[in-house]
Amino acid sequence: MTDYGHDLLFGTFVTPSNHPPHHPVEQAVVADRAGLDLVTFQDHPYVAKYHDTWTLMSYAAARTQRVRLSANVANLPLRPPAVLARSAAGLDLLSGGRVELGLGAGAFWDGVVAMGGERRSPGAAIKALEEAIAVIRGIWDVDAAGVLDVDGAHYRIRGAKRGPAPAHRISIWIGGYGPRMLGLVGRLADGWLPSLQYLSGGVSDLTAMNQRIDDAAVAAGRDPRQIRRLLNVGGQPSADELADIALSHGISAFILASDDTATTERFAAEVAPAVRELVTAQR
């Protein structure tokens, strides 16, 4: 059994559909009023029927009071990291520290290329993600001396002014599955954000994947407990199922795919408190 000891978080994974245009924002308001911790939106800038995720997050932040917001996950090939860093910091300041940064190396490459992005091999995509993390954290680090320079293979930052600093320490949660990506999570990320539906072996895959993250963290001189493990889930999971995943696989944030008010309210009112009770009893 693996339990990394993080406080439990519960949230929703909302489709950023632009028809009707206000529906995803209203679902964020539902989650906020229901007492959930997170509202997240997928980020596919090449899909015409979706809102731009950062525009949507900004509008949703203005309509909500306490819930945290994140892309799930931001499409790095179409979002230059220095600009993304300032977008995240600015929204964090405006929202009172309610932004986190889910970040992905890229997928659906035909769509990326159609929008003017660069098609990257798996290795290049991971290298670009590593460079992007350095850029993003460098922009946020207003206490560092001098301007920011990052001489990478994919991102070359020359003399960028640092700032603004976000209102709180924004977490970088990485979505990814392969061994090299999991190694990057262990070395550099604040959290790992996979989707259960993409795990070929289901929940059982989490054991080996967590171990890869842990091994990479230790090799980098990090405590694996520093890295939060999140999970996107679908359907109507029971409290017993989620509590078992939390205690056996160290998942401390469950993000339910929901575009439905009743589903979200049930998750917040019934499932989340029951999971907390079960996990607390076992801890």
Side-chain angles (χ1 to χ4, degrees), residues 28-273:
V29 172
V30 168
D32 188 45
R33 290 176 178 169
L36 290 174
D37 304 292
L38 298 166
V39 172
T40 71
F41 304 97
Q42 56 190 289
D43 183 31
H44 299 290
Y46 35 77
V47 177
K49 66 181 180 180
Y50 288 170
H51 285 299
D52 171 75
T53 293
W54 280 97
T55 304
L56 175 58
M57 286 174 56
S58 300
Y59 195 95
R63 290 285 311 279
T64 54
Q65 299 296 319
R66 52 166 300 279
V67 75
R68 286 187 260 173
L69 302 131
S70 178
N72 190 350
V73 289
N75 189 292
L76 178 62
L78 291 174
R79 299 195 181 277
V83 177
L84 181 59
R86 289 206 169 115
S87 297
L91 186 54
D92 197 54
L93 290 165
L94 289 167
S95 66
R98 294 192 288 125
V99 171
E100 310 296 349
L101 181 58
L103 192 58
F108 305 102
W109 293 103
D110 289 346
V112 169
V113 171
M115 290 286 287
E118 173 190 356
R119 188 185 301 274
R120 292 169 178 160
S121 68
I126 293 170
K127 178 61 177 174
L129 178 58
E130 181 171 354
E131 293 174 7
I133 292 172
V135 172
I136 291 167
R137 288 191 171 140
I139 291 290
W140 292 341
D141 187 3
V142 296
D143 295 326
V147 295
L148 177 64
D149 292 302
V150 176
D151 189 19
H154 301 276
Y155 300 110
R156 295 177 178 85
I157 307 299
R158 306 282 172 81
K161 294 182 179 179
R162 301 177 189 269
H168 84 300
R169 188 186 187 282
I170 295 176
S171 295
I172 297 179
W173 299 331
I174 301 298
Y177 303 89
R180 287 179 293 180
M181 184 67 82
L182 297 174
L184 185 148
V185 171
R187 289 185 288 109
L188 297 175
D190 300 300
W192 176 42
L193 179 53
S195 294
L196 182 57
Q197 71 181 88
Y198 294 137
L199 301 179
S200 59
V203 172
S204 62
D205 283 354
L206 293 171
T207 300
M209 299 173 90
N210 269 326
Q211 191 60 55
R212 285 189 179 274
I213 293 171
D214 292 354
D215 290 345
V218 171
R222 304 181 71 197
D223 184 340
R225 291 175 296 181
Q226 293 178 288
I227 304 164
R228 182 184 284 279
R229 322 299 161 110
L230 308 95
L231 186 66
N232 294 317
V233 298
Q236 296 188 5
S238 71
D240 287 336
E241 290 171 332
L242 298 187
D244 181 66
I245 294 172
L247 292 166
S248 300
H249 300 287
I251 300 298
S252 60
F254 294 98
I255 303 173
L256 180 69
S258 174
D259 299 313
D260 175 70
T261 296
T263 299
T264 297
E265 289 178 339
R266 174 186 172 274
F267 187 62
E270 300 177 15
V271 179

